[in-house]
Amino acid sequence: MSVQNTLNKKQVVSDSQRSTSTSGSNTVNNSNTDIIYIHEAGATVSLTVNFPITHINNQIVTIVSIGGITTLTLATGIGTIIGAITTLASGGSIRYMWLTSQSKWYK
């Protein structure tokens, strides 16, 4: 099954998180979190986003930044992040999906 076909069959989660810090880290709390909003008027200098350790198959994590992120680190305690980015432009977003069968987050 392709990633696109799997994406169309993902389970819907309804929780989101919001961060207003200009640096530091943000941990995706659990398998119910779908979107992390980084809401800053200016650029966030440095941010680490820790993907959830407890996740569900086809879970999607979306990172949205209003002001941009100069240095972005994506981290996971389980599995691998495929296509990890290191910066995010102002008004940008990025989405990753977890596939349990492969133990990977795909961009």
Side-chain angles (χ1 to χ4, degrees), residues 52-72:
I53 293 176
T54 303
H55 37 63
I56 56 175
N57 191 43
N58 302 329
Q59 178 179 358
I60 293 178
V61 171
T62 304
I63 303 166
V64 179
S65 177
I66 303 302
I69 304 169
T70 305
T71 304
L72 177 62

Side-chain angles (χ1 to χ4, degrees), residues 15-18 25-36 49-55 59 61 105:
D15 197 13
S16 65
Q17 293 173 227
R18 181 175 179 217
S25 67
N26 193 326
T27 299
V28 180
N29 290 329
N30 57 45
S31 61
N32 294 325
T33 300
D34 187 38
I35 300 174
I36 299 177
V49 175
N50 298 300
F51 282 57
I53 293 176
T54 303
H55 37 63
Q59 178 179 358
V61 171
W105 289 98

Side-chain angles (χ1 to χ4, degrees), residues 79-102:
T80 305
I81 299 172
I82 305 299
I85 61 171
T86 58
T87 187
L88 189 58
S90 177
S93 65
I94 187 73
R95 179 176 287 178
Y96 291 89
M97 183 178 70
W98 173 257
L99 292 181
T100 301
S101 64
Q102 297 178 22

